[in-house]
Amino acid sequence: MSLQGPIVVVSSHKETELIAELGAAGAFPVIETSWRDSARAVVKIAPAAVVIAEPLPADLLIAEKLAGAIATASTSGPCPYMPVVARIGDSGPAFPGALPIALEAPPARLIDRLGSALRVRTLHATTLRRADSLQGECDDLPALPDGDPLDDATVLVAGRGRTYPALTTAVGERLGVIGALAIETAAKYLDARDIDGVIIGEGFSPRLVDQFVATLGNDTRFRDLPVAIVGDSRVSVDRTRLPNLDFVVGDAVDLVTRLLPSVRLHALAARLQRQIAALEAKGMLDPQTGLFTIPAFMRDLDRAIHDVQERGIGLSLARFSFPASIDRRCSLDAARLVSRLVRSVDFACRVDDGSVLLAFNGTALTSAHVVARRIASVLRHTMLLADSADGKQRVDPAVTLAALKASDTAESLLARVFEPAPVAAA
């Protein structure tokens, strides 16, 4: 994509090659500034992005002023996300909140990463614009979820070497984590779950890693996914297809710290995509799960009951409840997975206790039982508890089913799925 402007480049010396390549990529205008003048430039220009072309200066107070100016510009009114890409060395602190890139990375690599971040800015701007345009049409438009996007983020860690336990532990302390001891297992999780970052540890041959990363690069779904390959730089993949691919060294905690900004950005993009879908549905979809909101579900359930009673066809309701031990992130992940599995004629919502209600439209109890067991089985074999002792404890949903009776209302039908003995998943 052609880069948006203006872009502020912060450096203590002239960045001739970087400025030339930014211009060739379509960035205009590009404003160079020194560290001392950088905070003032950000306030005055309100740029689309900031590029910090060198590690932090010795006077960290100057960097703090720049960080403060960026934070102020990013939170002043309904403005879209402002990416910051910063070069980092092997030691020393990183610029707070910036997307890091190695000091020795060529300018073209930095521009690829900047372009990936600017796609999120465009997505954010689109979300804000659509929300504003729909204000007069709908009273219950969903608000953009607040809080740190890392609260919703999940990272896939693949490996089987001596560093694998340390990596999964370090990720699990900050984020949701899915562990995979085989590349094939990792590929299955990428297709089934919402993943915001991938760490490939030791224990795999360069050829196998090369094939896996090449597959990621060839799939547009994973174009902007942060991918970290630990230690082994012999992989020969085309890095231009994966702008957030890095080869990293160091201990597990440092690796995760370096990956966090990119994971946060990917989780923000996923949040914005769900928000746009909710806006386009004019408030009927929950932006956190992709399922119906509770009011929309109840309205549709009332209409469906009236329709099937008139036509003399079946309607069944299932409730998928989860162990009390699962945390909010895992509960939301389960609901998002259900949103992928729901048939187009059915509809579902996540209720306050974390359980999921799924209405099978025009479906008798026997057929609904078969479909519900299949969904529960997918959940049980896909969802993992991040905080389990051995890292292998699965989320085992309980399923309760009820069929619509002639005398039923929505309330009486709902009451029955919250009481009977559950049906175990196969």
Side-chain angles (χ1 to χ4, degrees), residues 284 291-304 317-318 346-351 356-360 410 414:
M284 290 186 63
L291 301 174
F292 276 13
T293 63
I294 296 175
F297 178 87
M298 292 304 299
R299 290 194 298 267
D300 219 30
L301 184 61
D302 282 330
R303 286 192 291 265
L317 184 67
D346 303 330
F347 52 98
C349 75
R350 178 178 180 269
V351 296
V356 173
L357 297 175
L358 174 54
F360 297 97
L414 283 167

Side-chain angles (χ1 to χ4, degrees), residues 289-298 300-301 315-322 331 334-335 338-339 342 346-361 372 375 379 398-402 410-411 413-420:
T289 65
L291 301 174
F292 276 13
T293 63
I294 296 175
F297 178 87
M298 292 304 299
D300 219 30
L301 184 61
L315 185 145
S316 301
L317 184 67
R319 174 175 176 250
F320 299 84
S321 55
F322 303 98
S331 174
V338 170
S339 73
V342 173
D346 303 330
F347 52 98
C349 75
R350 178 178 180 269
V351 296
D352 293 339
D353 67 356
S355 61
V356 173
L357 297 175
L358 174 54
F360 297 97
N361 203 6
I375 292 175
L379 288 170
V399 185
T400 309
L401 281 161
E411 289 74 18
L413 182 60
L414 283 167
R416 293 211 306 279
V417 299
F418 277 86
E419 293 177 0

Side-chain angles (χ1 to χ4, degrees), residues 143-414:
L144 185 65
D146 55 7
D148 192 341
L150 287 179
D151 294 339
D152 296 333
T154 299
V155 169
L156 174 63
V157 180
R160 54 189 177 203
R162 58 185 176 80
T163 60
Y164 178 73
L167 285 172
T168 53
T169 300
V171 173
E173 289 176 349
R174 304 291 301 274
L175 307 158
V177 59
I178 299 174
L181 298 176
I183 289 292
E184 296 79 8
T185 304
K188 290 178 181 178
Y189 278 121
L190 276 170
D191 282 331
R193 296 285 301 274
D194 292 331
I195 303 296
D196 299 297
V198 176
I199 298 175
I200 304 173
E202 299 173 344
F204 306 120
S205 69
R207 181 184 60 82
L208 192 60
V209 175
D210 187 33
Q211 291 176 348
F212 178 62
V213 176
T215 300
L216 293 180
N218 291 330
D219 192 326
T220 55
R221 294 176 299 167
F222 307 126
R223 175 178 59 176
D224 295 314
L225 188 68
V227 179
I229 300 176
V230 178
D232 196 341
S233 60
R234 292 174 290 170
V235 177
S236 57
V237 70
D238 179 5
R239 296 196 190 190
T240 60
R241 291 181 176 270
L242 288 170
N244 296 308
L245 168 67
D246 276 320
F247 294 93
V248 294
V249 294
D251 65 30
V253 174
D254 288 343
L255 187 157
V256 173
T257 300
R258 175 168 175 171
L259 195 64
L260 283 179
S262 299
V263 172
R264 177 183 283 112
L265 181 59
H266 193 275
L268 173 62
R271 177 182 285 184
L272 291 170
Q273 288 165 347
R274 292 191 297 267
Q275 185 74 12
I276 285 180
L279 289 170
E280 290 177 343
K282 296 187 177 179
M284 290 186 63
L285 296 183
D286 174 11
Q288 295 191 82
T289 65
L291 301 174
F292 276 13
T293 63
I294 296 175
F297 178 87
M298 292 304 299
R299 290 194 298 267
D300 219 30
L301 184 61
D302 282 330
R303 286 192 291 265
I305 288 173
H306 178 74
D307 182 51
V308 300
Q309 287 176 338
E310 279 194 344
R311 296 164 57 195
I313 60 176
L315 185 145
S316 301
L317 184 67
R319 174 175 176 250
F320 299 84
S321 55
F322 303 98
S325 58
I326 74 170
D327 59 18
R328 173 183 172 276
R329 178 189 284 120
C330 191
S331 174
L332 288 174
D333 280 348
R336 290 169 190 160
L337 183 53
V338 170
S339 73
R340 297 184 178 193
L341 303 172
V342 173
R343 302 179 306 179
S344 59
V345 296
D346 303 330
F347 52 98
C349 75
R350 178 178 180 269
V351 296
D352 293 339
D353 67 356
S355 61
V356 173
L357 297 175
L358 174 54
F360 297 97
N361 203 6
T363 305
L365 185 63
T366 303
S367 299
H369 183 271
V370 173
V371 179
R373 286 173 68 94
R374 288 175 180 169
I375 292 175
S377 181
V378 172
L379 288 170
R380 189 174 65 137
H381 289 91
T382 306
M383 301 298 302
L384 300 174
L385 284 177
D387 56 355
S388 60
D390 60 1
K392 298 180 181 179
Q393 183 180 350
R394 298 187 183 277
V395 174
D396 195 357
V399 185
T400 309
L401 281 161
L404 183 70
K405 298 178 180 178
S407 59
D408 264 332
T409 63
E411 289 74 18
S412 63
L413 182 60
L414 283 167

Side-chain angles (χ1 to χ4, degrees), residues 67-91:
I70 291 171
T72 300
S74 300
T75 56
S76 57
C79 57
Y81 161 74
M82 180 196 299
V84 180
V85 179
R87 290 193 181 276
I88 60 171
D90 294 333
S91 60

